[in-house]
Amino acid sequence: MQHNIFTTMRSLKIMDGCKGSQVFALNPSGATAAGGNGGGAGDKLLYDHLRVNSIRSRASRGSFQAPNPTANNVLLETLLPYGLPVSDLLEPQIEPSLKSVDFVETLADMYRRIVICPQFEKWKMYLEQCATFRGLSDPKLFRRSLRSARQHAVDVHSKVVLASWLRYERREDELIGSSAMDCCGRNVECPKASLVSGYDPESVFESCMCSRTPWGQDDDDDLVMGDDECSTSEEDGDMSFCIGDAEIRCVRYNIASLSRPFNAMLYGNFTETRREKINFTQNGISVEAMKAVEIFSRIKRVDSFEVKTVLDLLSFANTFCCDELKTACDSHLASLVCELEDAMLLIDYGLEETAHFIVAACLQVFLRELPSSLYNSHMMRLFCTSEARQRLAMSGHSSFVLYYFLSQVAIEDDMRSNTTVMLLERLAECATESWQKQLAFHLLGVVMLERKEFKDAQWWFEAAVEVGHIYSLVGIARAKFKRGHKYAAYKQMNSLISDYTPVGWMYQERSLYCIGKEKMMDMSTATHLDPTLSYPYKYRAVSLLEENQFEAAITEINKIISFKVSPDCLELRAWFSIALEDFEGALRDVRALLTLDPNYMMFHGKMHGDHLAELLCPLVQQWSQADCWMQLYDRWSSVDDIGSLAVVHHMLANDPGKSLLRFRQSLLLLRLNCQKAAMHSLRLARNHSSSEHERLVYEGWILYDTGHREEALAKAEESIAIQRSFEAFFLKAYALADSSLDSDSSTYVIQLLEEALRCPSDGLRKGQALNNLGSVYVDSDKLDLAADCYTNALNIKHTRAHQGLARVYHLKNQRKAAYDEMTKLIEKAQNNASAYEKRSEYCDRDMAKSDLSMATQLDPLRTYPYRYRAAVLMDDHKEGEAIEELTKAITFKPDLQLLHLRAAFHESMGDFVSTVRDCEAALCLDPNHADTHDLYAKSRERVNEQQK
């Protein structure tokens, strides 16, 4: 192996939390015993308390009661060693990304610039698009832009960084048995393809041709030339280089062709021109290396030489300007870099000799080992200082894209670290374009604010504003507030609201700097303009708690948890539940948040979530694994995804190697729109697979979820060839049904789902298969068969099948039966925004408006209600109100369908300029949307006609 060659060459920082006064009067005498970290003696007090006081039954869990502050002081002090949350200590995070005050115009402008951009510069535009999409909730948009940037990259450096970033986004390193340098089979991420320079955008769609053997181990390379074959004979040679007592016979013409200096020396007006023997002793090259030079002058290859010799040749090539020899040495040594150990040995040689490919290969290994390689001090010294960045620049490997990638990983890993700051400083040094400076300066402001270096934070935010990043005014206001200038912060935000079209985050920020009714009014306005902002819900909930309105506090935080699940909101609800002694509810939320973030620190970062779960477990009814399955069925059937997550987390605590449970976990997380956590669970399912056919299925789902449908189908077929299983047939059917199905394809999908149902599985998955089979039957106009599938699914508690059965009734013109069927789903489901939305299709206009209003209230991210209401308003000739209805949603959810519909409305009103803008914004989100392309082309023609 190559790394053996190189061996011969060798001569949780816990976050500082804010402490606030406790809302409940906890027993002062127990403070010392409980301990400052919720553990130790505090645990003993809890268990002593449990021994003396039996846990009362909680059959009537639905009725909330304020806790008895006297009877359970010890228990509460142990569970809440830091008291309850305090509203004054809450504050929203300043987003560490580019943010526009007019996002639609930003998207439209970006699309226009991408269209007219020269081909060789397009990758830079897509990188800017990456930065714009980074702050959005849909990670697929960011990954798509990243793929486009890699597709259009020209130079090796950019390809290496972008391909490594794509791999990092997939976190393939979490797959047991995989190496950082393993090829995924596609050119877009292939490590070898990244080291090929040149512009070839179509190549990324091809399967790469690299083998699984280490680089530099091709069959032709196994031949090592002997001395007799490698030396020029006396008859052939016409000159010699003498090094010490050794004489290396050469062909003058071959040596002269290596470089201009050699050509001048051997054929110019120098004394060496007339000599047959040239003394080369003082030129710092060994006999072995000079022999290698002679061989290269004839065969133009270096892959048969030892690594030490090739390194000498590289130095020789630089000294005598032998470009062809340098490229050969550079490329060959780059092909040998397979591991971080190799990179550490060769990177300094590469930098010293300005060997572009060697540095690229070493850089690639380092980047593909992220985030763990952040802790490699030997490698990090190459990136963190200005001098190191300049060394990289000399070899062509210092760029904005490199430091953008490194700084993003560092921010995710530890925002407060010195490494993060140094990488961001280098990012700022690399920034040349306006958007790059905006991003770099803003990120430095965010990090300095997090480090409580408020003066520096303000300076960086001000620098970001100077180069055009208006959102950084929020950072300036926050830094001023932290430095004690509250009124100045208020004036800053007041001015921002006056100067620009107000959006939710402006009012949210201003609310921090006012009190009383004015504060609550700003938060109400923020929620009205952007209901996805979590801070107003959290503040209102904690304020209600401080007023001892416990039920109202939980109701308030439930409003956002119902459509946007996040660890901080789940933590807050768990906090409230503990205060109410609803330990089952608290444990449910702690387990759910630990599924989203296994390392989450509770109570302002002072207690690990796992520890709180351990404290809560003895306070609730204990379940066997069989009980857990029953609980999972109940929660699954009631569409209680958070409750289901908690049960799965409990089951995995008892059986962490159960891949089936990890897979269930990933499905629940996808339903909750937690894609990153879902992929993590799916990778763990793959890692814990007990058989080859099972592993292939999970690999297939990973490929499908990352947009590689054909590869997913291949994995399913490979799994079925080993063993017929429910999951393999289901995966194949699901992937095939993802495209437009003709009658033959539908028949095949039906056969696959029927095969799946014949295989052993549990009711949860069979219910899903029956539901999917019913959908295919409906699309094939086989309504009676579809109804049978949905009924069978309902018989095994697959509650969502009510929706499919309602669709069957509707297609049979039985609207009342369809409406009643959806009502059953609403009554059973805890998360029923989609049910209200669907039921609206089966009733009159007034009832539909009522159902859609409820759907929006439960989940403002659902776009159909806005589109329906806007369409009704257009039918009533209320064009302005229709546009306003769509604009309200587009402000916080720039959705393709919303933008397309608003563009169509503008076109019908004769406002072609606005139509073009909305089409451009929509095409920035999805450049392949055919209907928008057609509307865009027509509207541009009308604009051109008006301008003539």
Side-chain angles (χ1 to χ4, degrees):
M1 300 296 290
Q2 294 298 336
H3 64 272
N4 292 330
I5 296 174
F6 288 115
T7 58
T8 63
M9 294 166 52
R10 281 189 219 130
S11 350
L12 240 173
K13 181 177 180 182
I14 298 177
M15 293 173 61
D16 297 329
C18 300
K19 295 183 180 179
S21 58
Q22 297 177 351
V23 177
F24 282 103
L26 303 178
N27 186 357
S29 63
T32 304
N37 58 1
D43 295 350
K44 184 176 185 301
L45 282 174
L46 171 63
Y47 298 125
D48 288 345
H49 174 83
L50 293 175
R51 220 172 20 246
V52 176
N53 303 284
S54 61
I55 303 171
R56 64 178 179 273
S57 171
R58 302 199 174 273
S60 58
R61 182 68 62 196
S63 60
F64 292 91
Q65 296 179 351
N68 184 330
T70 304
N72 294 314
N73 269 356
V74 175
L75 178 59
L76 287 175
E77 185 169 334
T78 305
L79 293 172
L80 299 172
Y82 309 104
L84 286 167
V86 179
S87 58
D88 289 342
L89 296 181
L90 296 175
E91 62 179 39
Q93 182 192 22
I94 296 176
E95 294 185 29
S97 58
L98 289 177
K99 196 174 182 72
S100 174
V101 292
D102 187 349
F103 193 57
V104 171
E105 181 55 42
T106 298
L107 292 177
D109 174 67
M110 186 170 297
Y111 178 75
R112 290 192 294 267
R113 289 188 290 127
I114 288 174
V115 169
I116 64 174
C117 181
Q119 288 294 97
F120 291 171
E121 299 293 317
K122 277 192 184 294
W123 77 270
K124 296 179 182 178
M125 281 301 310
Y126 285 117
L127 182 64
E128 181 180 349
Q129 192 179 58
C130 285
T132 303
F133 288 160
R134 189 69 178 179
L136 299 183
S137 58
D138 186 358
K140 291 180 181 178
L141 288 171
F142 172 79
R143 287 198 292 267
R144 193 202 71 205
S145 297
L146 198 59
R147 282 195 297 271
S148 296
R150 168 62 186 89
Q151 176 186 356
H152 292 277
V154 179
D155 60 282
V156 165
H157 172 73
S158 301
K159 290 180 180 181
V160 162
V161 177
L162 292 166
S164 301
W165 200 341
L166 280 168
R167 185 186 183 281
Y168 175 79
E169 287 296 316
R170 290 193 302 111
R171 302 293 201 282
E172 191 176 82
D173 53 308
E174 292 178 9
L175 297 180
I176 291 176
S178 68
S179 164
M181 295 300 288
D182 281 348
C183 179
C184 67
R186 294 176 294 278
N187 273 331
V188 69
E189 290 180 43
C190 174
K192 290 185 182 180
S194 298
L195 292 174
V196 178
S197 60
Y199 182 68
D200 187 7
E202 298 305 314
S203 68
V204 299
F205 302 112
E206 303 168 2
S207 297
C208 69
M209 302 302 291
C210 68
S211 66
R212 290 289 174 174
T213 56
W215 292 5
Q217 291 293 301
D218 298 332
D219 293 338
D220 293 342
D221 298 341
D222 292 337
L223 178 64
V224 178
M225 299 182 183
D227 289 341
D228 293 339
E229 297 170 283
C230 292
S231 58
T232 299
S233 65
E234 288 289 337
E235 293 78 14
D236 293 336
D238 55 1
M239 61 157 293
S240 300
F241 285 103
C242 300
I243 301 174
D245 296 332
E247 184 177 327
I248 299 94
R249 198 68 177 163
C250 303
V251 176
R252 183 180 294 268
Y253 174 80
N254 290 342
I255 299 297
S257 65
L258 291 177
S259 69
R260 287 186 176 182
F262 272 121
N263 186 67
M265 179 178 72
L266 297 177
Y267 288 110
N269 296 320
F270 295 95
T271 56
E272 288 86 355
T273 304
R274 297 180 293 276
R275 290 181 179 175
E276 183 180 342
K277 295 183 179 182
I278 300 172
N279 188 345
F280 230 58
T281 304
Q282 303 301 320
N283 283 286
I285 186 170
S286 66
V287 174
E288 292 75 15
M290 197 63 220
K291 288 180 179 178
V293 170
E294 187 280 324
I295 295 170
F296 177 82
S297 71
R298 291 185 288 108
I299 67 174
K300 305 300 183 182
R301 294 179 63 180
V302 298
D303 46 12
S304 62
F305 305 136
E306 292 183 358
V307 173
K308 177 67 168 65
T309 301
V310 179
L311 287 169
D312 288 343
L313 287 179
L314 179 62
S315 179
F316 175 89
N318 264 335
T319 302
F320 292 96
C321 305
C322 304
D323 293 339
E324 187 180 10
L325 176 58
K326 179 177 180 177
T327 299
C329 294
D330 193 2
S331 299
H332 176 65
L333 290 170
S335 73
L336 304 181
V337 182
C338 298
E339 297 178 358
L340 194 59
E341 184 180 4
D342 306 338
M344 288 190 293
L345 286 168
L346 273 180
I347 186 71
D348 286 320
Y349 284 100
L351 291 171
E352 184 69 26
E353 302 294 345
T354 62
H356 183 68
F357 287 104
I358 293 176
V359 177
C362 295
L363 184 64
Q364 179 166 244
V365 173
F366 172 82
L367 295 177
R368 286 174 174 257
E369 292 282 0
L370 289 169
S372 60
S373 52
L374 281 176
Y375 299 98
N376 186 311
S377 58
H378 178 80
M379 293 298 290
M380 284 308 298
R381 67 178 173 80
L382 300 170
F383 302 105
C384 287
T385 66
S386 292
E387 294 76 13
R389 188 188 70 78
Q390 290 167 6
R391 280 189 81 197
L392 283 170
M394 291 178 65
S395 63
H397 290 285
S398 173
S399 69
F400 184 87
V401 65
L402 170 64
Y403 281 99
Y404 185 21
F405 178 28
L406 288 172
S407 62
Q408 287 297 310
V409 177
I411 286 172
E412 287 182 20
D413 187 70
D414 184 0
M415 184 179 284
R416 298 180 178 183
S417 72
N418 291 333
T419 296
T420 302
V421 174
M422 288 189 287
L423 289 173
L424 286 172
E425 289 172 344
R426 304 294 80 74
L427 180 72
E429 291 172 359
C430 291
T432 54
E433 300 179 34
S434 175
W435 74 267
Q436 295 175 348
K437 294 176 182 178
Q438 290 177 30
L439 179 63
F441 299 162
H442 180 73
L443 289 177
L444 275 163
V446 170
V447 168
M448 292 302 177
L449 194 69
E450 191 72 18
R451 287 162 60 98
K452 296 182 170 53
E453 298 175 23
F454 303 126
K455 187 175 181 180
D456 287 342
Q458 182 176 334
W459 192 92
W460 284 112
F461 283 130
E462 288 171 345
V465 172
E466 284 181 16
V467 291
H469 193 233
I470 305 303
Y471 176 65
S472 291
L473 288 168
V474 170
I476 296 174
R478 193 76 64 88
K480 288 179 178 178
F481 174 61
K482 295 293 185 180
R483 297 176 67 191
H485 308 303
K486 184 175 182 179
Y487 182 62
Y490 178 83
K491 285 177 60 180
Q492 183 89 65
M493 294 312 302
N494 219 28
S495 175
L496 181 62
I497 291 171
S498 300
D499 293 344
Y500 297 92
T501 302
V503 288
W505 53 263
M506 296 180 185
Y507 285 95
Q508 173 181 267
E509 188 66 24
R510 192 176 73 172
S511 71
L512 295 176
Y513 315 127
C514 48
I515 59 175
K517 290 183 179 180
E518 188 179 356
K519 187 182 194 77
M520 299 310 291
M521 285 177 61
D522 271 359
M523 291 210 187
S524 178
T525 304
T527 299
H528 174 72
L529 293 174
D530 186 353
T532 67
L533 296 171
S534 61
Y535 169 72
Y537 299 94
K538 292 163 65 176
Y539 184 89
R540 287 189 292 261
V542 174
S543 297
L544 289 165
L545 182 77
E546 291 171 335
E547 297 171 2
N548 290 330
Q549 298 184 46
F550 299 98
E551 185 172 358
I554 288 185
T555 300
E556 182 65 27
I557 201 65
N558 280 345
K559 290 178 182 177
I560 190 164
I561 290 176
S562 66
F563 69 90
K564 185 180 177 182
V565 179
S566 61
D568 57 330
C569 290
L570 288 172
E571 175 196 15
L572 211 53
R573 192 168 71 176
W575 223 331
F576 299 164
S577 297
I578 292 172
L580 286 166
E581 300 180 54
D582 176 11
F583 303 126
E584 288 181 4
L587 184 57
R588 172 203 62 207
D589 288 340
V590 172
R591 289 192 185 282
L593 76 83
L594 286 172
T595 303
L596 297 174
D597 184 354
N599 299 313
Y600 193 83
M601 300 294 292
M602 309 278 295
F603 308 143
H604 301 300
K606 295 183 175 72
M607 180 189 290
H608 199 287
D610 275 332
H611 183 60
L612 182 58
E614 291 172 5
L615 296 177
L616 288 167
C617 277
L619 301 172
V620 302
Q621 182 181 350
Q622 301 302 302
W623 294 336
S624 66
Q625 201 75 342
D627 294 330
C628 287
W629 276 107
M630 292 301 296
Q631 293 290 334
L632 183 57
Y633 267 89
D634 288 342
R635 284 156 177 75
W636 194 283
S637 64
S638 64
V639 198
D640 177 10
D641 293 331
I642 292 176
S644 300
L645 265 189
V647 175
V648 171
H649 186 274
H650 184 189
M651 298 167 78
L652 283 168
N654 298 328
D655 191 1
K658 192 75 170 178
S659 59
L660 176 64
L661 292 174
R662 296 285 183 189
F663 181 53
R664 294 288 187 276
Q665 193 178 64
S666 71
L667 296 175
L668 287 163
L669 288 164
L670 281 176
R671 286 198 334 209
L672 291 168
N673 201 31
C674 302
Q675 296 182 24
K676 184 176 177 181
M679 289 304 296
H680 178 70
S681 294
L682 195 49
R683 286 189 289 268
L684 290 177
R686 181 266 189 196
N687 289 345
H688 289 102
S689 299
S690 58
S691 62
E692 177 71 6
H693 77 271
E694 187 180 27
R695 180 182 63 79
L696 289 166
V697 168
Y698 298 141
E699 288 180 355
W701 279 114
I702 291 171
L703 288 165
Y704 177 81
D705 288 338
T706 51
H708 304 292
R709 179 173 163 273
E710 296 302 322
E711 292 95 327
L713 284 169
K715 291 286 184 182
E717 291 167 357
E718 193 177 346
S719 178
I720 292 169
I722 297 172
Q723 181 172 321
R724 297 162 61 85
S725 69
F726 173 92
E727 291 299 348
F729 281 115
F730 189 88
L731 168 61
K732 188 173 181 180
Y734 197 94
L736 283 173
D738 189 30
S739 58
S740 300
L741 293 178
D742 54 28
S743 58
D744 291 338
S745 300
S746 296
T747 301
Y748 186 42
V749 171
I750 289 169
Q751 291 173 357
L752 289 170
L753 288 170
E754 288 174 342
E755 288 292 339
L757 288 164
R758 294 188 190 101
C759 298
S761 185
D762 59 77
L764 297 175
R765 290 298 279 161
K766 291 211 169 186
Q768 182 68 58
L770 285 165
N771 196 67
N772 287 14
L773 182 57
S775 297
V776 181
Y777 278 136
V778 168
D779 293 337
S780 304
D781 203 27
K782 300 175 181 178
L783 300 183
D784 290 336
L785 290 173
D788 290 341
C789 286
Y790 292 131
T791 301
N792 290 334
L794 288 170
N795 289 337
I796 52 176
K797 290 190 172 185
H798 189 77
T799 307
R800 284 182 170 83
H802 282 298
Q803 183 168 318
L805 195 53
R807 185 183 174 201
V808 171
Y809 288 137
H810 175 64
L811 292 172
K812 289 184 175 183
N813 294 319
Q814 301 173 17
R815 285 171 61 87
K816 176 65 167 61
Y819 181 89
D820 292 342
E821 201 65 36
M822 290 308 302
T823 302
K824 293 176 185 177
L825 177 57
I826 289 170
E827 291 170 349
K828 291 181 182 179
Q830 287 196 18
N831 184 10
N832 50 23
S834 62
Y836 278 106
E837 180 182 296
K838 195 65 180 176
R839 192 176 72 170
S840 71
E841 298 178 19
Y842 309 134
C843 51
D844 59 35
R845 177 183 283 196
D846 289 339
M847 294 177 68
K849 288 171 67 176
S850 176
D851 274 356
L852 291 174
S853 177
M854 179 60 74
T856 297
Q857 182 180 329
L858 293 172
D859 184 355
L861 290 172
R862 304 190 72 85
T863 61
Y864 174 75
Y866 301 99
R867 290 185 282 127
Y868 177 88
R869 289 189 290 265
V872 169
L873 288 166
M874 284 295 286
D875 287 343
D876 293 340
H877 304 290
K878 298 178 180 178
E879 291 88 353
E881 293 178 44
I883 295 289
E884 185 179 347
E885 179 68 22
L886 293 174
T887 301
K888 180 168 60 178
I890 289 170
T891 301
F892 62 86
K893 185 177 173 61
D895 175 79
L896 171 68
Q897 292 179 320
L898 291 172
L899 286 165
H900 177 79
L901 186 59
R902 192 172 74 171
F905 285 178
H906 281 307
E907 191 241 5
S908 69
M909 296 163 62
D911 184 356
F912 300 110
V913 173
S914 296
T915 304
V916 167
R917 179 205 59 200
D918 282 351
C919 284
E920 288 169 339
L923 291 171
C924 189
L925 295 173
D926 183 358
N928 299 315
H929 195 254
D931 290 342
T932 303
H933 267 295
D934 294 341
L935 181 59
Y936 181 49
K938 288 192 299 181
S939 299
R940 286 190 66 189
E941 288 179 6
R942 297 299 296 272
V943 170
N944 292 334
E945 290 173 4
Q946 290 176 349
Q947 291 175 345
K948 288 180 180 178

